[in-house]
Amino acid sequence: MRLLLALAAALLLAGCGGGGGERLAAPERGNQDINPHDPATLRDGGDLRIPLDNLPTNYNYNTIDGHEGQTGEVLWALMPGVFKDAPDGGVTLDTNYVTSAELVSPSPQVVHYHINDRAVWSSGRPITWEDFAAQVTANSGSNPAYLIADKSGYQDIAKVERGATDKDVLVTFSKTFAEWQGLFYGLYPKETDATPEAYNTGWVQTPQLTAGPFKVGNVDQTAKTITLVRNERWWGDKPRLGRVIFTVTDRNALADRLANNEIDLYEIGSSVDLFRRAQTIPGVQIREATPKQYTHITFNGAPGTILSDLKLRLAIAKGIDRAAIERRLIGGIVPTVVPMGNHIYPVGSKDYRDNSDVLPYDQAAANQELDALGWVRPSPGSVRARNGQLLRLRFVVPAGNPISDAISKTTLDQLAQIGVQIEIDAVPTEQFFSNFVNVGNFDLTGFQWIQTSVPFSNSVGNYQETKGTDIGNNFGRIYDPRIGPLFAQGLAELDEAKRAEIGNQVDRLIWEEVHDLPLYPQTGAFAVRATVANFGAKGLGDYDFEHAGFTQ
């Protein structure tokens, strides 16, 4: 399934204009701002230099450690998939890899894929039905030794068979899976899926067999760079770029590095300074397109933790003013500040509803509920306590990230008003997910959820019941037993409108259980060198490294 999380990076609304500093109008949903050009007119060669927050901790993003935005940014240029996200928010078949994908039987549900006859791995081995079969075995959850991020859909597959040729794949489901187009988005070679060891750790240092327009040239752990070069076995359109170079860059250095011609673009954070700097750098445009991302605060409600008490989570959540957080971060730039109101559907999509009325900001109610729970304040302005225990929560953030820093400090100020003490723990960025978020080493934390063109099925793993190491993406280990059956009902519903109704029922339950607290949708602004074409603000779609390049 799709990549689902990234470090918090609140993005500004911006246009391709200069100066003035006034707030800017919001773009229309469904657009991309990528400086489109016919690839044939672009320069042959050139290095596209892209900053990263950190090197991926695992290049297999089907694993729990690899299922993050940093991994996906690199792998878009390297790995095959059946469908990709389209600019309008839907899906489109990627015929470089699969020339047809058809539902040939609704009951039992059977999908027939025909793999592009020319598609091969970087070793030269053809991509075949066996790669599909191995991925289903690894990602189905049948073997708990595979540390998978999301088994949605894969667990519903009864068998994968060879069709008329090795390039024909027949996938038969044990029960209906409505959003089947989201499967095999990141297809890995059968060698990677063959054993738990190869799957879990085989891609930790560097990607192995790939099948994209680019392949790995070098991963330099010391310089913290990843260099991709053209894949000489690539069967699609010849890439215009000569190389793609990813370099770990501190967010505070982004503008300087762009101005010094050391990188070619960066995501604009909520810092007004980064926005102003982008406007003043010669030869740089601000490109913007609404993405499927939102920033949130996750609560750790695992058994034995202080926030395992639902009533306590409810009281604390009512003490967090989401609108005030958004105003502080982007209110000086965004003309209309609207907090995120849905965990599943992106703002602007036809199925989006604001369900946040379930959990309103209400400081008075928060104080009353905390009193009723026995968390009392010995004196005005002091920290609440119960049975000698202070009401203290540890908010884990990635070090050096100004957005996470601002969110956590604003939350600290707000919760202090109701007697809750926040300890901000800034941890190494490269360890943030693997050593803290993924293993539940926090009370509160925050990052971006990246929604997809198949939002219902891609949300299942976020809110699934956790069993041992099988947590999906439910890092807070909070589960409402009413949710599982509704997800099952929706996954079997082929009618999109009916499925969306179920999805919004689920969303209201997620608000009720205080699984996580959505803050605000991202707005997709990038500072990009003006000569970069077919790349920039991708909006609701995927990046296209095959056709990216530089104008003459």
Side-chain angles (χ1 to χ4, degrees):
M1 303 298 277
R2 312 302 176 88
L3 60 94
L4 292 174
L5 49 98
L7 293 179
L11 310 181
L12 302 180
L13 284 170
C16 297
E22 67 277 3
R23 293 182 297 176
L24 300 168
E28 294 183 3
R29 178 184 180 273
N31 74 317
Q32 288 187 312
D33 193 358
I34 59 173
N35 188 21
H37 279 70
D38 179 349
T41 66
L42 300 180
R43 177 157 57 95
D44 183 11
D47 295 342
L48 181 62
R49 299 159 300 174
I50 302 173
L52 291 177
D53 290 314
N54 55 272
L55 293 180
T57 55
N58 193 327
Y59 292 87
N60 181 358
Y61 75 78
N62 290 323
T63 66
I64 188 171
D65 284 343
H67 208 61
E68 59 169 291
Q70 295 292 290
T71 309
E73 284 191 46
V74 176
L75 295 173
W76 265 311
L78 297 172
M79 301 306 294
V82 175
F83 289 90
K84 57 185 179 181
D85 288 355
D88 65 359
V91 295
T92 183
L93 191 69
D94 192 338
T95 56
N96 279 323
Y97 300 109
V98 175
T99 55
S100 65
E102 299 175 326
L103 181 66
V104 295
S105 170
S107 182
Q109 182 179 358
V110 180
V111 178
H112 171 241
Y113 302 90
H114 183 78
I115 304 166
N116 190 310
D117 291 334
R118 296 186 295 161
V120 297
W121 297 104
S122 53
S123 64
R125 179 177 69 77
I127 300 175
T128 73
W129 73 275
E130 293 181 325
D131 297 301
F132 282 68
Q135 180 134 325
V136 170
T137 299
N139 288 353
S140 67
S142 59
N143 184 346
Y146 285 88
L147 302 180
I148 60 177
D150 187 2
K151 61 179 180 290
S152 302
Y154 293 110
Q155 66 179 346
D156 299 324
I157 294 175
K159 59 182 177 179
V160 179
E161 300 174 289
R162 180 185 185 274
T165 71
D166 283 348
K167 291 285 186 175
D168 290 286
V169 190
L170 291 173
V171 177
T172 302
F173 291 79
S174 57
K175 58 182 178 181
T176 302
F177 182 67
E179 292 186 338
W180 58 271
Q181 294 92 340
L183 297 171
F184 308 109
Y185 178 77
L187 180 67
Y188 278 70
K190 64 182 181 180
E191 292 86 347
T192 295
D193 295 325
T195 67
E197 292 75 21
Y199 182 92
N200 298 336
T201 63
W203 288 58
V204 167
Q205 294 298 322
T206 186
Q208 301 298 317
L209 293 182
T210 59
F214 292 87
K215 66 178 183 179
V216 178
N218 180 52
V219 175
D220 190 328
Q221 298 288 345
T222 302
K224 296 186 177 180
T225 61
I226 304 165
T227 301
L228 308 184
V229 298
R230 287 173 176 170
N231 177 10
E232 69 280 0
R233 297 184 187 274
W234 178 245
W235 56 94
D237 293 343
K238 178 184 176 181
R240 306 311 299 169
L241 295 168
R243 299 189 301 178
V244 180
I245 302 173
F246 297 92
T247 304
V248 173
T249 302
D250 187 280
R251 289 184 183 271
N252 293 322
L254 289 172
D256 286 340
R257 295 205 70 193
L258 185 60
N260 293 335
N261 196 26
E262 297 172 1
I263 57 176
D264 293 302
L265 72 157
Y266 64 76
E267 261 187 316
I268 297 175
S270 294
S271 165
V272 175
D273 177 63
L274 276 180
F275 174 63
R276 298 287 181 263
R277 288 290 307 279
Q279 288 181 310
T280 63
I281 300 172
V284 166
Q285 299 174 339
I286 297 176
R287 302 178 185 173
E288 193 279 327
T290 303
K292 302 186 289 283
Q293 298 169 228
Y294 69 90
T295 296
H296 76 290
I297 297 173
T298 276
F299 290 68
N300 186 355
T305 63
I306 190 171
L307 292 177
S308 62
D309 183 346
L310 171 58
K311 292 182 178 179
L312 180 59
R313 295 201 303 272
L314 281 165
I316 290 172
K318 290 177 182 178
I320 298 175
D321 187 346
R322 301 184 303 126
I325 292 174
E326 185 171 17
R327 285 194 300 271
R328 174 176 177 179
L329 287 162
I330 59 176
I333 300 163
V334 180
T336 303
V337 178
V338 180
M340 185 72 184
N342 201 295
H343 297 79
I344 296 175
Y345 297 105
V347 169
S349 70
K350 66 182 186 304
D351 299 321
Y352 175 85
R353 295 180 193 166
D354 187 342
N355 294 315
S356 61
D357 62 294
V358 174
L359 189 59
Y361 167 62
D362 189 337
Q363 194 175 85
N367 276 311
Q368 292 172 3
E369 292 171 17
L370 289 171
D371 288 340
L373 290 170
W375 292 100
V376 297
R377 304 181 87 164
S379 59
S382 64
V383 179
R384 292 178 180 271
R386 187 175 71 178
N387 300 325
Q389 179 186 3
L390 292 175
L391 185 46
R392 177 186 296 141
L393 302 176
R394 180 166 151 264
F395 199 137
V396 173
V397 300
N401 186 306
I403 310 310
S404 297
D405 183 65
I407 291 171
S408 60
K409 287 181 178 176
T410 306
T411 304
L412 180 153
D413 293 339
Q414 292 178 351
L415 292 182
Q417 297 174 34
I418 61 171
V420 180
Q421 185 180 73
I422 295 295
E423 172 194 346
I424 298 174
D425 186 3
V427 304
T429 298
E430 65 275 10
Q431 299 175 16
F432 175 66
F433 286 115
S434 60
N435 291 8
F436 295 90
V437 176
N438 297 355
V439 297
N441 186 5
F442 62 90
D443 293 317
L444 301 173
T445 192
F447 46 89
Q448 291 181 43
W449 281 122
I450 304 176
Q451 297 161 299
T452 78
S453 53
V454 286
F456 187 84
S457 58
N458 270 149
S459 298
V460 174
N462 299 11
Y463 308 106
Q464 71 171 57
E465 183 177 9
T466 60
K467 298 178 180 179
T469 59
D470 181 12
I471 67 165
N473 290 303
N474 187 355
F475 305 117
R477 278 78 170 171
I478 295 171
Y479 176 69
D480 185 327
R482 297 174 295 173
I483 286 178
L486 280 173
F487 266 126
Q489 180 184 346
L491 291 173
E493 179 54 71
L494 293 174
D495 185 294
E496 289 189 16
K498 292 179 180 178
R499 188 163 67 248
E501 287 294 324
I502 297 168
N504 277 290
Q505 290 180 49
V506 170
D507 182 58
R508 294 187 73 84
L509 293 178
I510 295 169
W511 284 101
E512 288 181 11
E513 71 173 7
V514 199
H515 179 281
D516 62 270
L517 195 63
L519 297 178
Y520 53 87
Q522 304 301 322
T523 55
F526 286 75
V528 189
R529 200 169 306 285
T531 54
V532 174
N534 298 331
F535 206 83
K538 63 186 178 63
L540 303 179
D542 280 337
Y543 283 123
D544 182 2
F545 283 93
E546 182 182 20
H547 298 127
F550 292 93
T551 55
Q552 297 287 353

